[in-house]
Structures are given as C-alpha cells and as structure tokens.
Amino acid sequence: MAREELTRLTGNGNGECGEDDCPNVYRTEHGTFVVQGDVSEAFQPPTGEGLVEIPESVLREAVRALGW
C-alpha cells in the first residue's frame, strides 16, 4: 500500500518534521489505521508487528479529523 492511497488525519508537513515524516495517523480505504511514529522498544512485539510512539496531540488531532 502506498502512502498516497491513505487519508492523512494529522499534520500538515510544515511543523517540526520538515520532510513530511512527522508522527502521523492515516486511515486506509478499509477503515483501519496506520500510525507513523518513533520506533519504541517498550517490549518485543510478535513477528510481523511493530511498536511506534506518537504524541497524545497526534491522536487527539486524528480523533478531531474523524469527528469523533
């Protein structure tokens, strides 16, 4: 799946990130979410899964974008 196929719910690319690589939340056409953030080492996830850390403000922005 390409990034262009996702609906970006957070960020505008003009913040502290600069290169459009900020922590972000995206929605897929299937109604699922893709979260982009700093890799976390809080625990070892199962094979094929990963952990990322994103600020609370990013989740709040995604919720506002969805009108929840």
Side-chain angles (χ1 to χ4, degrees), residues 2-58:
R3 184 186 293 197
E4 295 77 27
E5 298 175 63
L6 304 173
T7 301
R8 186 174 176 167
L9 300 175
T10 58
N12 60 14
N14 296 325
E16 58 192 78
C17 309
E19 297 295 321
D20 201 26
D21 59 350
C22 308
N24 280 297
V25 178
Y26 299 86
R27 190 171 197 181
T28 70
E29 62 183 21
H30 307 292
T32 59
F33 298 92
V34 175
V35 178
Q36 175 187 3
D38 295 328
V39 174
S40 174
E41 296 181 10
F43 63 89
Q44 183 62 44
T47 301
E49 296 182 5
L51 304 175
V52 298
E53 292 185 37
I54 61 171
E56 179 180 331
S57 61
V58 172

